[in-house]
Amino acid sequence: MNSSLKLDVRRGTRFEFWARRKPATSEEEHAGGEVFALRADERIVYRIAALPPYFQFYAYTHHTNEPLTLEWDENAIELSLFYHFDPANVVEEGVTFLELRGGRLTARPKEAWPAWYQSDPDRPQLRFSPFQAWMNDPNGLCFVNGRYHLLYQFHPVEAEWGPMHWGHAVSDDLYRWTHLPVFLHPEQNLWSLGATGGAFSGSAFVGPDGDLSFYYTERLPAYDLFKDYKEVQKQIVPSTDLLRPEANRLVLVDGPPGSAHDFRDPKVWYDATRGGYRMVLGAAIDGDPAVLLYGSKDGADWKFLSVLYRAPEHFRRHGARCVECPDFFGLEDRFVLVMGFVGYTEPETGRHNLLYAQVGTFEDDRFLPLTPTLQELDFGTDFYAMQSFRAKERQIAFAWLFNWEFRKPAGSPYSGELSLPRVLGLDAQLRLTMLPEEGCRALRSRALTQAAPGHFICEPGKPIELSLGGALNEIRIVGRGGDGESFTIAHVLGRLQVSVAEDAGEIEYRSTPLELKNLTLFFDRGVLEIFANDGVICGTRRTYKITTLTALELVPSKATDIEFCGAWCYLSVWGD
Ligand code: FRU
C-alpha cells in the first residue's frame, strides 16, 4: 500500500464509506494485495482484501483506545462518500467528512462546513443541500425532542439519481442543519446487480402511544425505470438515538385490482375517530393517477379500503403515469390532499410533473372535496415531492427544488436542494396557502441599498428577499446576474410569469389569474421562491445560469401603485 496516516479518533468512533476498485485497475493488478486497512498499533483491525468493480458499503467501529493508522492504495481504491462519527455526540457534532487524495487525508468536521458550502458559487446559502452526492425528496420529516429531523432520498456515490438510501440531518430551527450518518440503505447491493430501486420515499408517523416509526417504499431490484418493477411498503422502528433502523418489517406487498407497478410513498396517520391507522399511497388505477387508502388496526397488517382520489382522464391522456408522494393531512378542520402527477405535461404551457392540492373533508374514509377543481401548487414547478408535518401547532412543508428540466452543471460535487420551510394555511376560498416560515426573517443581515428608487444593489453571493405590497398589477421585477444573465418576474395579462436564463420559450411558467396585491421573493444562488397574495400563488424556479445577483430592478407600469417595498440581504445558514 502506498499511503499511510495516523488517525486521531476516540473509542466508539464509527467509519462508514462507499468504495469500489478504481475503474482503470484490473482484477489481476491488485490481486492478493490489500487496498485499504486500519491498524491499531501493529494489529490489523480492518482490511479490504479485494474490491469489486461496483460500489459497496463498508463500516468499521473502533472499540479500543489504541491509536489507529489508516493505510490505502490510492491506485486501487475509489472512495466516494467517506465519513466518521462518534455516536455519543453526533447529533450535536455531526459527521466528519473525509477525503483521500494525493496521499493525504482531508477531514471536514462541522467547523469546516461553512467554507465548503460557501466556496461553491452554485450552492444555496439559505437552504439545505447534501454535503456531496445526490438528493431528491424530503422524507420522514418530524420534530422529536426539540429537534427537526430531515431524512431525504439520497444516492451516496455520485451526483446522479441511483440506488436510493435515506440521508439524515437535524436542526434546531429548520435552517441550520447538522449532517448525520446515512439512516437507511437498500435491502441489498443494487450496484452489484446493475439495478436501481432501494429505499424510496416515505414519512414519519407518531402513533397514539407517542412512538415514532417510519413507513416507506422499497422498490425491489429494477431493470427498467418505467415499468415491470415491484414496490412494497415497509415500516421501520428507529433506534432510540434515531440514527439507524432498529427493526424493519414488510407490511404491504400487493396493490388492489387495477393498480400496477406504481405503488409507493406512504403517508400514515392515526384516525382517532375510527380508532385505526390510515395510509395513503401514490399509484395508478387502470392507468389513471390515483391515491389509495389503506387501513390497519395495528400499523402492521394493512387492508385496502378505497381509491381516495382518481385523476380525471385528461391527466392520463397527457402523459401522467401515477401519483407520487401523496400528502394528506388535517388543517383547520378540513383535510388537504397534495399530489404530484409524474409524466404529465400540461398542453397549454408545456410544464410537466405538476403538483396539485385539493381541500375537502374526510368522513367515513372518504375524501369529499369542497372545491370543484385541483389547485396548482407551484407555477414554477421546481417544487416537487412536497412533504408536510406537524410541529409546534403548525403544518410545515418542504419540497425538492428540481423538476428534471434543467440539471446542475457537470462536475458539481452534489445535486439537489430543499425549499425554504413553508407554513401551510387555508384562505377564505379554501385554497391552500404557503408562506415562508417566520424564523427565516431572523437571518436578515441588512436592508439593501437603492441606487435609484426601485433599483437595489445586491451583495454578490448573498441570499436576498424582496417584499412588495400595494396594487402590483403589471409590475415587472428583473434580477441581473454578474455576466449579463437575468431573470424576470412579471404580472402579464392578469397572471404572474417567471422566466430564467435557461428558458428557450417552449415552456411557459405562468400562474393562474390573480389581482396581484403582495409578493415576496427570495433569491439564493439560483433558487427563486415566489409567494404572491399571502401565499395563495407560489412559484419556484432553479436556474443554474445566475448564481449571483448584482442588481434587482422594479419596473412598475401605470397600473402599479406600490405601497410597501422592502429588500434585505441574508446571512448564510452555513455559517457567517
Ligand atoms: C419522487 C419519487 C418518488 C419515489 C422517489 C424515488 O421524486 O419518484 O415517487 O419514491 O422519488 O427516488
Side-chain angles (χ1 to χ4, degrees):
M1 282 197 265
N2 55 20
S3 303
S4 137
L5 262 179
K6 283 229 161 356
L7 295 173
D8 182 20
V9 293
R10 280 196 295 263
R11 177 192 175 100
T13 298
R14 181 171 166 86
F15 292 77
E16 297 191 344
F17 58 98
W18 285 257
R20 67 176 174 185
R21 187 199 313 151
K22 265 229 161 112
T25 325
S26 72
E27 210 163 335
E28 300 80 62
E29 255 175 274
H30 80 219
E34 292 149 12
V35 291
F36 182 99
L38 290 165
R39 228 176 251 281
D41 282 336
E42 286 313 299
R43 229 162 14 95
I44 294 252
V45 290
Y46 189 79
R47 169 169 68 196
I48 302 176
L51 283 163
Y54 45 80
F55 278 106
Q56 183 154 307
F57 173 64
Y58 296 88
Y60 166 75
T61 306
H62 191 46
H63 285 300
T64 71
N65 287 315
E66 296 156 292
L68 269 186
T69 304
L70 168 65
E71 300 171 350
W72 74 101
D73 179 353
E74 206 160 307
N75 297 320
I77 188 166
E78 180 181 337
L79 276 147
S80 58
L81 188 63
F82 183 19
Y83 54 78
H84 67 55
F85 61 96
D86 181 346
N89 65 17
V90 69
V91 172
E92 292 81 31
E93 298 300 316
V95 300
T96 294
F97 293 98
L98 303 168
E99 189 184 357
L100 290 179
R101 188 173 296 165
R104 299 227 318 252
L105 176 79
T106 308
R108 295 193 177 92
K110 197 171 176 180
E111 304 80 73
W113 300 351
W116 174 259
Y117 274 83
Q118 288 175 29
S119 65
D120 180 345
D122 266 352
R123 197 60 107 152
Q125 297 297 303
L126 265 189
R127 290 151 175 92
F128 178 84
S129 56
F131 195 83
Q132 66 188 77
W134 168 278
M135 81 167 273
N136 51 289
D137 316 350
N139 292 158
L141 297 170
C142 55
F143 181 64
V144 180
N145 298 332
R147 281 202 179 90
Y148 296 97
H149 286 255
L150 160 69
L151 296 111
Y152 55 91
Q153 289 286 279
F154 185 53
H155 182 218
V157 308
E158 57 177 343
E160 292 292 332
W161 189 82
M164 279 292 124
H165 297 58
W166 278 25
H168 191 185
V170 280
S171 171
D172 292 338
D173 64 359
L174 295 164
Y175 300 93
R176 295 180 177 91
W177 295 96
T178 299
H179 294 291
L180 298 187
V182 166
F183 177 80
L184 179 61
H185 297 246
E187 66 178 27
Q188 58 186 308
N189 186 331
L190 297 168
W191 300 293
S192 77
L193 304 178
T196 62
F200 271 29
S201 284
S203 51
F205 168 68
V206 179
D209 47 7
D211 288 353
L212 175 73
S213 63
F214 298 98
Y215 286 91
Y216 75 104
T217 300
E218 179 100 31
R219 182 181 283 188
L220 304 180
Y223 296 91
D224 190 304
L225 280 181
F226 301 104
K227 58 180 182 353
D228 300 338
Y229 40 75
K230 177 79 182 162
E231 297 182 328
V232 298
Q233 318 311 322
K234 293 180 161 184
Q235 182 192 18
I236 289 173
V237 178
S239 55
T240 45
D241 58 10
L242 255 67
L243 292 180
R244 59 194 164 73
E246 183 85 38
N248 188 340
R249 63 180 173 187
L250 184 66
V251 295
L252 180 58
V253 172
D254 291 317
S259 67
H261 43 272
D262 293 307
F263 183 53
R264 62 177 174 273
D265 309 338
K267 175 99 189 216
V268 175
W269 73 102
Y270 185 75
D271 186 335
T273 55
R274 307 217 130 218
Y277 298 75
R278 294 292 180 269
M279 175 196 285
V280 285
L281 282 165
I285 288 289
D286 298 328
D288 287 327
V291 177
L292 309 177
L293 180 69
Y294 278 77
S296 170
K297 288 199 177 68
D298 55 7
D301 183 21
W302 292 90
K303 301 242 165 340
F304 173 65
L305 297 179
S306 63
V307 175
L308 189 79
Y309 176 86
R310 181 170 177 160
E313 203 219 331
H314 164 87
F315 289 98
R316 170 163 39 122
R317 234 186 309 125
H318 295 282
R321 295 192 298 275
C322 67
V323 165
E324 289 189 318
C325 302
D327 197 355
F328 193 52
F329 50 91
L331 192 64
E332 299 171 19
D333 294 337
R334 318 285 174 168
F335 262 80
V336 182
L337 179 61
V338 174
M339 306 167 278
F341 288 177
V342 71
Y344 174 62
T345 299
E346 189 181 57
E348 299 83 18
T349 61
R351 296 174 305 165
H352 51 244
N353 301 345
L354 297 181
L355 193 67
Y356 294 101
Q358 193 153 29
V359 177
T361 57
F362 182 63
E363 290 159 37
D364 301 328
D365 282 331
R366 283 184 314 147
F367 176 57
L368 307 168
L370 290 166
T371 49
T373 51
L374 294 176
Q375 176 190 349
E376 172 186 298
L377 271 193
D378 195 288
F379 69 92
T381 76
D382 285 334
F383 181 86
Y384 192 69
M386 185 195 105
Q387 183 174 102
S388 71
F389 68 113
R390 196 93 197 143
K392 299 189 186 170
E393 283 156 43
R394 299 179 305 175
Q395 193 75 18
I396 299 173
F398 281 105
W400 175 38
L401 299 171
F402 195 87
N403 207 324
W404 299 104
E405 186 64 22
F406 303 111
R407 298 284 187 126
K408 270 222 100 165
S412 167
Y414 84 99
S415 176
E417 293 122 359
L418 212 63
S419 66
L420 287 176
R422 299 182 178 185
V423 175
L424 306 182
L426 295 176
D427 79 349
Q429 289 152 62
L430 291 182
R431 289 173 299 183
L432 185 66
T433 61
M434 302 193 279
L435 284 170
E437 193 274 338
E438 280 297 299
C440 69
R441 282 8 194 277
L443 294 158
R444 284 177 180 165
S445 62
R446 59 173 184 84
L448 293 183
T449 50
Q450 298 185 51
H455 185 135
F456 295 95
I457 312 291
C458 303
E459 199 175 313
K462 297 287 183 199
I464 58 133
E465 176 195 351
L466 170 73
S467 199
L468 300 173
L472 302 179
N473 279 357
E474 293 170 44
I475 195 169
R476 208 149 56 87
I477 302 163
V478 183
R480 300 203 186 280
D483 38 14
E485 306 280 16
S486 63
F487 68 75
T488 305
I489 298 162
H491 185 262
V492 182
L493 301 173
R495 296 167 191 262
L496 263 181
Q497 291 183 352
V498 55
S499 58
V500 300
E502 279 92 343
D503 291 343
E506 290 115 34
I507 305 179
E508 230 187 300
Y509 295 93
R510 60 160 162 83
S511 74
T512 49
L514 79 166
E515 286 286 324
L516 187 58
K517 298 195 180 92
N518 55 60
L519 183 142
T520 297
L521 140 75
F522 284 85
F523 181 85
D524 177 14
R525 299 207 183 174
V527 175
L528 255 176
E529 285 188 66
I530 303 163
F531 303 86
N533 288 5
D534 302 313
V536 170
I537 302 275
C538 297
T540 305
R541 296 292 310 270
R542 179 58 166 112
T543 166
Y544 301 102
K545 294 214 166 150
I546 311 176
T547 54
T548 189
L549 273 193
T550 52
L552 194 64
E553 290 166 31
L554 306 187
V555 189
S557 78
K558 285 200 196 87
T560 317
D561 180 13
I562 299 175
E563 284 162 21
F564 170 80
C565 172
W568 297 267
C569 188
Y570 271 65
L571 299 172
S572 167
V573 297
W574 298 104
D576 69 0

